[in-house]
Amino acid sequence: MELHELAKGQREFYQTGRTLDYAFRAQALDSLAKGLARWEDRLLQALEADLGKPPFETYMTEIGLVKSELRWQRAHLRVNMRPRPVPTPLAQFKARSFQDPHPYGVVLEIAPWNYPLLLSLTPLAGALAAGNCVVVKLSDQVPNAAQAVVGLLADCFDPRHVFGLQGGRAENQALLAQRFDKIFFTGSPAMGQVVLEAAVKHLTPVVLELGGKSPCIVTAEADLPLAARRIVFGKFLNSGQTCVAPDYLLADRKIFSQLLALLRQEIARAFGPAPMQAPGYPRIVNQKRFDRLLERMADGQIFCGGDVCREKRMIEPTVLTEVSPEAPLMQEEIFGPLLPALPYDRLEEALSLVESRPCPLALYLFTEDKKQARQIMRRLQFGGGCVNDTVMHLASHRLPFGGVGQSGMGAYHGRQSFETFTHYRSIVDTSTKIDLSIRYRPYTPAKFWLLRRFLR
């Protein structure tokens, strides 16, 4: 299907008004939920084929979270669709004022390769609940998963309502040349800039879910064994190919050596003595990224890990020390199983280092000092994060997820997803029974006196 014909067909379908009805939206959410159940085994197999991802991890980090989002959107759909009344100023007596939720129309959603199910279907749930037509573009870096999602969407929806396709940059450029009413993009900051520039041509509002170097700070007051376990979980999930993975570690020098030893111990407990031989150990998505990660390993000393398998594009969970803050490893988002660890002598040094860099998508802090935690979280700017944990803020549909500054704009999950894909129209419904004459000409001193008392 030609892309301009696709966009035209979806716009014509939207203009029929069918997507505005509660029953239509409810049926769309139900259809996607049932389709997800039917396609679950194929989706699990697809991610295993593309990334070597074990079914347990795919369900935990993708399918299970999509199901949770769909349940929330379905359960709250009727309430979210209701107009929101607001107080009306006395000067507008007699009238009622309200915000009326209305779909944007035709939405373009561009999903990444690292969590292709979660990051395509979760925004889609919000867009459907809000009453939009949607084009979902999947990455060609994970062809099996992309093909499965495209098949799922074709099984569930009229293509004039929801259409899925896979491709690379050429398809992105062709889609971005079309006029959409909203664009939702998840990916790299560099590609986010391309999306934003394209959106300007049509004055299209955008949501950008980008990345960045997410720091993990461990203070001397932290529960170190627990910190090590949760850092290893969050960092090496999907072999580090997670936008909210801890990207670098800053630890108090007093506990630095102890924490490193615990990290090595926890990696061995989680992955065994030969991680690349462990069942379901994910691989790096392509050769280019694999080679880049190998280059970055030279920016520090290998404390643990470091073994690689070029044939399988696998890299062991690796902790690096003696890393300069100016090294390339500390300038770019790693997106792989490499964790640079840097000690600090004073907490102020760590906070200043974080502040000197672009706003991260996530921030993680480990400390048992509640006052210290409040002060640090209040001071630093970041998209979202955790105290004494990693990545788990992403798993709650009750917490909006999004970046700030170079890590993105806009947010979604739960109610925020519905609002992200909804335009709230401000409406004043004025009575015809009473018509105050103060606003009409001719203007008189008496009217001016009244005006000053109404509007002040």
Side-chain angles (χ1 to χ4, degrees), residues 266-319:
E266 189 56 37
I267 290 171
R269 187 205 64 78
F271 298 98
M276 292 185 294
Q277 305 300 320
Y281 184 73
R283 56 180 165 269
I284 305 306
V285 67
N286 58 39
Q287 194 64 45
K288 180 179 178 181
R289 290 181 180 273
F290 178 84
D291 292 339
R292 184 181 69 85
L293 289 168
L294 292 191
E295 292 178 5
R296 294 295 169 262
M297 286 176 67
D299 289 345
Q301 291 187 5
I302 296 174
F303 174 78
C304 65
D307 285 348
V308 303
C309 178
R310 181 173 291 275
E311 292 74 21
K312 296 180 179 179
R313 296 199 310 272
M314 287 184 175
I315 301 175
E316 277 190 335
T318 301
V319 178

Side-chain angles (χ1 to χ4, degrees), residues 145-201:
Q147 186 176 6
V149 173
V150 168
L152 164 64
L153 299 180
D155 185 33
C156 295
F157 300 105
D158 183 326
R160 297 173 301 166
H161 182 206
V162 179
F163 185 86
L165 72 158
Q166 60 177 307
R169 291 187 177 182
E171 286 74 17
N172 285 341
Q173 291 174 352
L175 284 166
L176 291 170
Q178 311 304 315
R179 182 176 72 86
F180 290 92
D181 300 307
K182 187 141 194 180
I183 299 174
F184 188 102
F185 170 79
T186 305
S188 69
M191 187 60 196
Q193 189 172 7
V194 172
V195 171
L196 194 58
E197 289 171 353
V200 167
K201 297 176 183 177

Side-chain angles (χ1 to χ4, degrees), residues 37-288:
R38 290 194 303 273
W39 283 73
E40 184 173 309
D41 288 342
R42 277 175 281 188
L43 293 168
L44 292 171
Q45 293 165 9
L47 263 296
E48 197 165 16
D50 286 329
L51 294 172
K53 204 169 181 178
F56 182 95
E57 191 168 302
T58 297
Y59 193 92
M60 176 179 65
T61 63
E62 301 207 55
I63 294 176
L65 297 180
V66 173
K67 287 183 175 182
S68 177
E69 180 74 14
L70 284 167
R71 282 195 302 272
W72 192 95
Q73 294 296 343
R74 183 66 176 85
H76 296 83
L77 179 61
R78 194 178 294 277
V79 172
N80 286 339
M81 289 180 63
R82 291 174 183 163
R84 300 178 181 178
V86 300
T88 301
L90 182 61
Q92 296 179 12
F93 181 83
K94 179 182 181 182
R96 66 184 185 97
S97 304
F98 57 94
Q99 292 180 303
D100 181 40
H102 197 267
Y104 273 98
V106 181
V107 171
L108 171 62
E109 181 197 326
I110 302 177
W113 55 263
N114 58 328
Y115 290 88
L117 314 182
L118 175 71
L119 300 180
S120 63
L121 301 181
T122 301
L124 176 60
L128 293 176
N132 297 279
C133 293
V134 190
V135 176
V136 182
K137 188 267 174 184
L138 285 302
S139 172
D140 59 2
Q141 295 295 311
V142 281
N144 294 287
Q147 186 176 6
V149 173
V150 168
L152 164 64
L153 299 180
D155 185 33
C156 295
F157 300 105
D158 183 326
R160 297 173 301 166
H161 182 206
V162 179
F163 185 86
L165 72 158
Q166 60 177 307
R169 291 187 177 182
E171 286 74 17
N172 285 341
Q173 291 174 352
L175 284 166
L176 291 170
Q178 311 304 315
R179 182 176 72 86
F180 290 92
D181 300 307
K182 187 141 194 180
I183 299 174
F184 188 102
F185 170 79
T186 305
S188 69
M191 187 60 196
Q193 189 172 7
V194 172
V195 171
L196 194 58
E197 289 171 353
V200 167
K201 297 176 183 177
H202 301 292
L203 297 179
T204 304
V206 300
V207 174
L208 301 178
E209 298 296 341
L210 309 178
K213 296 190 72 64
S214 299
C216 180
I217 302 172
V218 183
T219 73
E221 294 76 22
D223 179 333
L224 296 183
L226 184 64
R229 169 167 286 197
R230 292 178 176 175
I231 291 169
V232 167
F233 168 78
K235 173 60 187 179
F236 300 113
L237 201 64
N238 200 26
S239 281
Q241 298 170 116
T242 304
C243 61
V244 291
D247 204 82
Y248 62 101
L249 177 64
L250 301 172
D252 192 306
R253 194 179 297 276
K254 293 191 289 290
I255 51 91
F256 188 68
S257 297
Q258 183 183 358
L259 179 61
L260 290 178
L262 288 168
L263 288 171
R264 177 165 53 191
Q265 177 181 317
E266 189 56 37
I267 290 171
R269 187 205 64 78
F271 298 98
M276 292 185 294
Q277 305 300 320
Y281 184 73
R283 56 180 165 269
I284 305 306
V285 67
N286 58 39
Q287 194 64 45
K288 180 179 178 181

Side-chain angles (χ1 to χ4, degrees), residues 13-14 16-21 24-25 103 128 130-133 161:
F13 184 83
Y14 173 75
T16 66
R18 290 177 61 188
T19 68
L20 301 179
D21 296 336
F24 185 89
R25 302 188 200 189
L128 293 176
N132 297 279
C133 293
H161 182 206

